[in-house]
Amino acid sequence: MTVAERSPHMTDGTVTERRDVVVVGGGQAGLAIGYFLAEQGRHFTILEAAEQPAAAWRARWDSLKLFTPARYDTLPGFAFPGEPDRYPTRDEVAEYLTDYARHFDLPVELGSRVRSISRTSGLYLVELDDRAYEAEQVVVATGPFQVPRVPPIAERLDPEVLQLHSSVYRSPAAIPEGAVLVVGGGNTGFQIAEELSASHEVHLSIGSRQTPLPQRFLGRDLFWHLERTGLIYKTTASRIGRRMEGRDTLIGSNPRRLRRRHGVQLHGRAVDVDGSTVAFSDGTSLHAATVIWATGFGVDHSWIDVPVFDADGRVAHRRGVTEAPGLYFLGLTWQHTRGSALLGWVKDDAAYIADRIAAFEPEAPIGAQRREPQAA
Ligand SMILES: Cc1cc2nc3c(=O)[nH]c(=O)nc-3n(C[C@H](O)[C@H](O)[C@H](O)COP(=O)(O)OP(=O)(O)OC[C@H]3O[C@@H](n4cnc5c(N)ncnc54)[C@H](O)[C@@H]3O)c2cc1C
């Protein structure tokens, strides 16, 4: 029997294949679950939209260095190479993830964007442009930073001002002369502002202050302390975990240093735009030649046609396990702990989901349940 004949879902011209598990997304989360699925000997595939491995990392700015040292950048079973206390570059991470998939011979299918996931008669149908898969279980590992977020005032900015989201920023060489306004007081905004300050007049708009944490103190890296104190393992079920979740942190930067050492001028929240002038909540305003929106990302799960979202479109889950039998998420920010969306700790959630996958009992198909004898 051909694969196509087996499928009840086949549409014209679509070949449907069968797997035990389909993983959507081939970044670090997809590869980490892939490691455990391979260990279990499962028949699975990892569908990755991009044509190249480690797409998210390759798309980040050129000079990006990790805030986690190499010793904390290891996925399960294959150590991040080199000196453990250095902070690897973007390109090293891309190389490591590429090597990781190769090392374990993980079945990553590049150029395979999933267009929809739906569920009928106990099986998931995972549809791409040119083919579809059926699976009992699906892991969505499409990343915590998907859709660039820009505030509505951006629309009113005069076209003479160059504006771009931080996800498009690569290096100072591509930024024209003149004052640059970076909007966003998170790690990305601070790092881009600092980098540009060597060649440009730079302004940084900070909407809400994040708690600055030094990269190193008492001779050790921040993440060493988070491990040692157990804070990195505090879950969203604990009080301290919830407090940490609600408080974004700025690692290795702080406003004073940026102003004093790098000459970056600080402003309050960007609240209005009039032509080419941006007004801030502290009453100041600026005419900038370039505006870089380091205002974060949202997620888009609108292509998942399974009722596992709350009224605000957020995934309803417990540690990545949803109410839909066999549907899991992996790599969400604070999925379980601060480490959930970090290279070195995603393995804990991946191992947990792999255990759920192993313990999964498929529902009996409708009509196949055993009938209890009727009482006389
Ligand atoms: C600027 C920046 C710096 C960071 N620095 C660090 C750091 O120093 N240390 C650290 O541990 N973490 C860091 N992170 C956090 C985290 O490690 C990364 O965001 C990481 O890329 C998340 O991995 P992921 O696999 O969950 O998602 P991603 O890397 O985003 O991978 C998801 C993959 O899914 C694919 N995809 C999406 N939709 C579909 C679809 N419909 N069908 C098929 N494929 C799809 C995408 O192409 C992508 O390859 C940083 C994040 C950012 C933004």
Side-chain angles (χ1 to χ4, degrees):
M1 184 166 57
T2 65
V3 169
E5 280 165 354
R6 264 202 328 255
S7 168
H9 298 293
M10 214 189 85
T11 51
D12 281 355
T14 306
V15 177
T16 298
E17 300 183 40
R18 182 74 202 265
R19 296 286 187 281
D20 298 343
V21 183
V22 167
V23 178
V24 187
Q28 66 208 33
L31 298 181
I33 189 75
Y35 168 87
F36 291 111
L37 295 177
E39 243 190 0
Q40 291 176 7
R42 283 196 194 270
H43 185 39
F44 72 103
T45 189
I46 302 175
L47 302 174
E48 167 53 52
E51 298 290 343
Q52 275 188 306
W57 286 101
R58 286 180 209 280
R60 289 173 184 152
W61 66 91
D62 295 352
S63 67
L64 174 68
K65 280 202 166 197
L66 296 195
F67 52 74
T68 45
R71 70 168 72 246
Y72 299 122
D73 297 328
T74 283
L75 294 180
F78 183 62
F80 200 101
E83 209 278 306
D85 285 321
R86 81 209 150 81
Y87 299 91
T89 63
R90 171 200 78 174
D91 293 344
E92 285 179 84
V93 182
E95 204 175 313
Y96 169 67
L97 295 179
T98 308
D99 289 349
Y100 188 88
R102 203 179 294 136
H103 183 79
F104 294 109
D105 200 15
L106 296 177
V108 181
E109 298 183 57
L110 297 172
S112 301
R113 177 170 292 280
V114 172
R115 298 292 181 189
S116 78
I117 301 176
S118 53
R119 186 167 192 258
T120 40
S121 41
L123 285 177
Y124 289 97
L125 178 67
V126 179
E127 291 182 278
L128 289 75
D129 286 333
D130 58 348
R131 62 196 191 281
Y133 292 79
E134 267 182 347
E136 279 174 353
Q137 303 190 73
V138 172
V139 182
V140 178
T142 48
F145 305 116
Q146 296 170 353
V147 188
R149 220 168 26 205
V150 169
I153 54 169
E155 275 179 27
R156 301 210 299 275
L157 204 54
D158 194 292
E160 77 172 25
V161 179
L162 172 70
Q163 56 169 322
L164 57 147
H165 186 266
S166 60
S167 56
V168 182
Y169 171 78
R170 290 292 170 275
S171 70
I175 302 300
E177 277 181 20
V180 183
L181 169 64
V182 180
V183 182
N187 290 296
T188 297
F190 268 78
Q191 285 179 30
I192 292 177
E194 183 178 323
E195 172 166 79
L196 283 167
S197 68
S199 52
H200 291 71
E201 173 192 328
V202 181
H203 298 252
L204 178 68
S205 160
I206 303 174
S208 46
R209 294 223 165 207
Q210 304 194 352
T211 312
L213 294 173
Q215 179 77 68
R216 296 181 70 82
F217 58 101
L218 301 173
R220 302 277 194 173
D221 181 79
L222 168 67
F223 286 88
W224 182 90
H225 293 283
L226 292 176
E227 272 258 332
R228 196 39 78 94
T229 54
L231 281 172
I232 195 84
Y233 299 109
K234 292 290 174 198
T235 75
T236 49
S238 70
R239 228 174 61 171
I240 189 156
R242 278 195 302 276
R243 278 182 59 188
M244 284 164 63
E245 184 184 7
R247 204 178 287 178
D248 281 331
T249 50
L250 196 54
I251 300 171
S253 315
N254 71 64
R256 215 172 105 191
R257 210 187 66 183
L258 197 67
R259 187 163 45 83
R260 289 203 177 161
R261 196 180 294 177
H262 301 284
V264 172
Q265 298 175 52
L266 306 181
H267 302 269
R269 178 178 291 274
V271 287
D272 202 6
V273 165
D274 183 8
S276 53
T277 302
V278 180
F280 306 101
S281 56
D282 54 12
T284 61
S285 63
L286 174 74
H287 172 85
T290 305
V291 175
I292 300 176
W293 301 103
T295 38
F297 296 83
V299 287
D300 176 14
H301 292 134
S302 59
W303 48 280
I304 303 175
D305 188 15
V306 184
V308 291
F309 302 99
D310 68 15
D312 297 322
R314 281 188 301 249
V315 186
H317 69 94
R318 270 171 177 257
R319 205 173 173 182
V321 180
T322 73
E323 291 277 309
L327 180 63
Y328 314 91
F329 284 75
L330 183 61
L332 300 173
T333 308
W334 275 97
Q335 177 155 318
H336 188 53
T337 65
R338 171 68 178 97
S340 287
L342 296 179
L343 273 161
W345 292 273
V346 67
K347 62 176 174 302
D348 298 337
D349 291 347
Y352 177 80
I353 286 174
D355 285 349
R356 301 277 75 72
I357 287 174
F360 180 76
E361 289 192 13
E363 288 174 347
I366 295 160
Q369 286 104 335
R370 199 165 67 85
R371 284 182 169 232
E372 294 301 325
Q374 302 273 306

